[in-house]
Amino acid sequence: MSVHPYITDAIELLKRMIAVPSVSREEEGVAALLEDFFKRTGLDYYQRKGNNLWIRSKYYSEKTPTILLNSHIDTVKPSSGWTSDPFTPKEENDKITGLGSNDAGASVVSLLATFRMLEERKQPCNFIFSATAEEEISGDEGVASILDQLGPVDLGVVGEPTRMQMAVAEKGLIVLDGTVKGKSGHAARDEGINAIYEAIPAIEWFRNYQFPLQSEFLGPVKMTVTGIGAGSQHNVVPDVCRFMVDIRVNEHYKNEELFQLIRQHVNCELKARSFRLNSSSISVNHPFVKRGEELGLEKFGSPTTSDQARMPFTTVKIGPGDSSRSHTSDEFIRPSEIVEGVKIYHQLLDGLHIHSI
């Protein structure tokens, strides 16, 4: 079976990307590699800021709705369990093994191949392809740093490994640090106020409380106490207890709104590390989702965060590969998954009509 030349290019580009280390904040090499590819393939109207690159459709019109095709070029650091060099692409048994192959190099090259195909004729929508940095650390020098350069965006298609199924909702994240104060005293005498005991009601509340709005795809808001610390020696009543809470937020709550609701219930000092990683969602009646359903794609809710959290417009997450392979030793992608990914992306986007916001 013949493979489209753009897909052949994509698979070869992925191998070259794997061979260039691109840990978060160190993406210069892969960014330069993509620049070279753009120049060689006639996409020399790209733009770059830091380690982020984007290409606006040659048919771009301010009167036309815009769809952003985005994925990330950074990776996590390789774990110690790799059985081969993570920066040497290894191809055998319909697998390309290498760091970032699945998360999210395959999405980068598949979206790029799709963009090239869509560029061959004028479309009902503008398309912008972007390959961005710092996704793995939710960094400020990634996609968030170029949004003001892109102009209005009506839909973001975020490439992450989802087996080419549609993540129509994604959980947001808040990390809270709680502090409960008591009064020190000698443990042998009935004195002091034990901060650990004072913290128990707050910890129990996080353990048991259920927010009323639940999501069809993401379920309830999930709160988990993931760390606690107090005391320094066995005979001193501790005067401070600190704890940490991981909160996964569904699309019915904005992070700052949820934080204010929590403060109404919990009587202790609470600080949020950030509010920027909000939940994301797309209407099940959106034309993109409807077309996906016509193609037989499934809808699901994703528990993991991505660059969707940094995008203040409607987004959907979909890409080749499997999330279960991400951040694992001997991470791999199948070339056949890239072929299928480009096919589905093109079927979803070619001729798609959406409305401007």
Side-chain angles (χ1 to χ4, degrees), residues 28-60 69 73 112 115-116 119 127-132 146 149-150:
E28 298 90 345
V30 167
L33 179 67
L34 287 173
E35 279 195 285
D36 177 68
F37 181 86
F38 295 158
K39 292 173 182 175
R40 289 189 294 103
T41 55
L43 298 172
D44 51 1
Y45 43 98
Y46 71 91
Q47 294 177 267
R48 177 172 177 175
K49 180 181 179 182
N51 294 325
N52 307 284
L53 301 104
W54 67 98
I55 312 171
R56 189 176 276 107
S57 169
K58 61 187 175 185
Y59 297 108
Y60 185 90
L69 311 179
I73 60 174
L112 177 55
F115 177 83
R116 295 176 72 191
E119 280 282 78
F127 288 100
I128 302 174
F129 167 78
S130 63
T132 51
I146 66 168
Q149 307 286 314
L150 302 181

Side-chain angles (χ1 to χ4, degrees), residues 336-356:
S336 56
E337 291 175 310
I338 295 175
V339 173
E340 182 71 4
V342 176
K343 175 184 174 182
I344 292 174
Y345 276 143
H346 193 259
Q347 289 174 328
L348 285 166
L349 296 165
D350 187 32
L352 181 68
H353 288 265
I354 66 171
H355 298 295
S356 297

Side-chain angles (χ1 to χ4, degrees), residues 166-209:
M166 299 182 292
V168 297
E170 175 187 273
K171 280 195 170 180
L173 171 64
I174 312 174
V175 178
L176 296 184
D177 292 301
T179 302
V180 177
K181 294 183 179 179
K183 183 179 179 182
S184 62
H186 199 294
R189 294 189 292 268
D190 188 17
E191 61 184 32
I193 300 173
N194 193 316
I196 295 175
Y197 297 158
E198 295 297 305
I200 289 174
I203 292 170
E204 281 292 311
W205 184 86
F206 282 111
R207 179 184 182 183
N208 297 318
Y209 187 78

